[in-house]
Amino acid sequence: DTTAVAAAIATTKPVFIPTGTYILTSNLVLNSNQQLYGEGTGSVLKAGADGLRDLVGINGKTNVTVSNFKIDGGGQTTNVFTGFKYCFGVTVYNSSNITIENLTIDKCGIARSGSNATIMDDNLWGGYGIIVGARYGAVKNVLVRNCRVTNIAGGGNICGDGIYVEGFNANPAITTENIVVENCYVENVGRHCFTAAGEGGASAFNVIFKNCTGRNSALSGIDFEEAEHSKFIDSEFQGCGTYTAYYNSTTVYGADYRLKAAIATGNECHYNYFNNVRIRDCYYGLTWGGGNTNTWENIVVTNSTINDLYLGLARFAENNTIRNCKFLTTGKTVNPFYN
């Protein structure tokens, strides 16, 4: 159905997806000032080929709304190793004033091989649910709301995140700013449920995650690596760092890998705020990098596999605050400091 759907989008008018399943073998590229919307989970865009990295792509656009339909990534048809590879549900690059709401995204990507204990390079295999990123230009004023993302394969160095906000750009002045992710549910992922990422001076700025739920991740519930002046509030995590459907992260990365946590922060993670988060049944509760001037408030951690609080990098952080938090896993130690 690729030709018909693409022809409708090419009119630049609002495009309605009626109830039904529509098979796509190439990416859809939306226009500025356009809406793509359906009738709910009965309106399905389904990947029908490998490598659809932007199944619904928004690049260099403004004022776009994507809402009320389902994306089937075409992966994991018989098991996690079968189906179409390397599908990303919705991608937003170099764009502004974008709304993504009421989407269901399922089964993007497949696991790297038949052995789930040795996967490190999942490039061209795994998937993503939603990406908002500055890799190809600044991204500002994006709302991701009421989305459900499940069964995202990956787990190595590239893929496997449910909702991924990133500030990677060679020019640190080109940023990802003013992104809101609210009322979103992510479950069964090969890497992180949610991510705010950057590196080498490039960061995600002013990203707010609120009223979100993450369950069953091989690595983090939320990976703040790196983010600045951002928030994660009024949310909950369960089963983070313990999910092995796509690969065994302990075997690959080691038992003390700091990203196997509900909330993980990195060395350049500064001026962030975490409030009112419930964490249970995760490998670690909180893991610290060397980021400065972050605040954790009203966090409750229970039933961690290893520790409720763990310093995972050698650089010592400054001016961090833990306030009104409860670390309730019995029989464990808290290890926030190096001697």
Side-chain angles (χ1 to χ4, degrees), residues 1-326:
D1 303 300
T2 309
T3 300
V5 178
I9 290 172
T11 67
T12 73
K13 297 178 180 179
V15 176
F16 171 62
I17 308 167
T19 297
T21 297
Y22 304 89
I23 307 298
L24 304 177
T25 53
S26 63
N27 299 320
L28 301 179
V29 181
L30 301 183
N31 302 286
S32 292
N33 306 306
Q34 190 167 45
Q35 299 177 42
L36 179 68
Y37 65 101
E39 293 186 285
T41 56
S43 301
V44 182
L45 299 180
K46 184 174 182 178
D50 291 332
L52 299 186
R53 290 183 54 191
D54 310 286
L55 186 72
V56 176
I58 304 167
N59 192 340
K61 304 298 189 292
T62 61
N63 303 317
V64 179
T65 299
V66 177
S67 63
N68 295 314
F69 60 89
K70 178 178 179 179
I71 291 176
D72 183 337
Q76 307 164 59
T77 51
T78 303
N79 53 48
V80 298
F81 308 107
T82 59
F84 292 115
K85 300 180 288 187
Y86 210 43
C87 176
F88 303 175
V90 179
T91 58
V92 181
Y93 299 115
N94 189 28
S95 298
S96 62
N97 302 326
I98 309 299
T99 299
I100 302 167
E101 60 183 347
N102 300 322
L103 294 190
T104 297
I105 301 175
D106 187 43
K107 295 183 178 178
C108 292
I110 63 174
R112 177 67 175 85
S113 69
S115 172
N116 73 349
T118 59
I119 302 167
M120 282 294 288
D121 183 5
D122 52 0
N123 192 23
L124 304 179
W125 293 79
Y128 286 91
I130 298 171
I131 296 179
V132 178
R135 194 174 299 270
Y136 306 112
V139 177
K140 297 184 179 181
N141 305 325
V142 178
L143 173 62
V144 181
R145 178 170 58 194
N146 300 331
C147 293
R148 181 181 180 90
V149 180
T150 55
N151 301 309
I152 307 300
N157 295 324
I158 306 296
C159 300
D161 296 36
I163 299 177
Y164 183 80
V165 180
E166 54 96 344
F168 292 105
N169 196 291
N171 181 354
I174 298 175
T175 60
T176 300
E177 295 187 55
N178 302 329
I179 314 299
V180 176
V181 179
E182 64 177 358
N183 300 325
C184 289
Y185 181 95
V186 177
E187 182 177 39
N188 300 345
V189 298
R191 202 165 64 161
H192 313 297
C193 292
F194 305 93
T195 304
E199 191 174 59
S203 297
F205 291 93
N206 299 322
V207 182
I208 299 175
F209 299 86
K210 59 182 180 180
N211 297 320
C212 291
T213 299
R215 292 201 170 118
N216 299 343
S217 60
L219 297 179
S220 304
I222 174 74
D223 182 24
F224 263 51
E225 191 185 9
E226 309 296 343
E228 297 186 23
H229 299 281
S230 297
K231 298 179 180 179
F232 192 89
I233 59 176
D234 301 330
S235 299
E236 66 175 59
F237 291 118
Q238 182 180 11
C240 300
T242 63
Y243 188 64
T244 59
Y246 299 110
Y247 81 123
N248 189 325
S249 60
T250 297
T251 301
V252 174
Y253 291 109
D256 61 348
Y257 190 49
R258 65 180 185 83
L259 295 186
K260 292 159 56 68
I263 300 175
T265 56
N267 276 342
E268 302 300 326
C269 183
H270 308 307
Y271 304 102
N272 299 299
Y273 181 62
F274 305 88
N275 182 48
N276 192 28
V277 183
R278 300 294 179 264
I279 297 168
R280 57 195 172 104
D281 305 328
C282 297
Y283 195 79
Y284 293 112
L286 312 179
T287 57
W288 284 14
N292 301 326
T293 321
N294 299 298
T295 299
W296 292 261
E297 188 168 15
N298 301 314
I299 312 294
V300 178
V301 185
T302 58
N303 201 34
S304 299
T305 304
I306 304 298
N307 294 81
D308 290 346
L309 175 61
Y310 177 71
L311 180 61
L313 291 171
R315 178 173 176 264
F316 189 75
E318 299 176 352
N319 301 318
N320 286 324
T321 301
I322 299 177
R323 181 186 296 115
N324 297 329
C325 294
K326 297 180 180 180

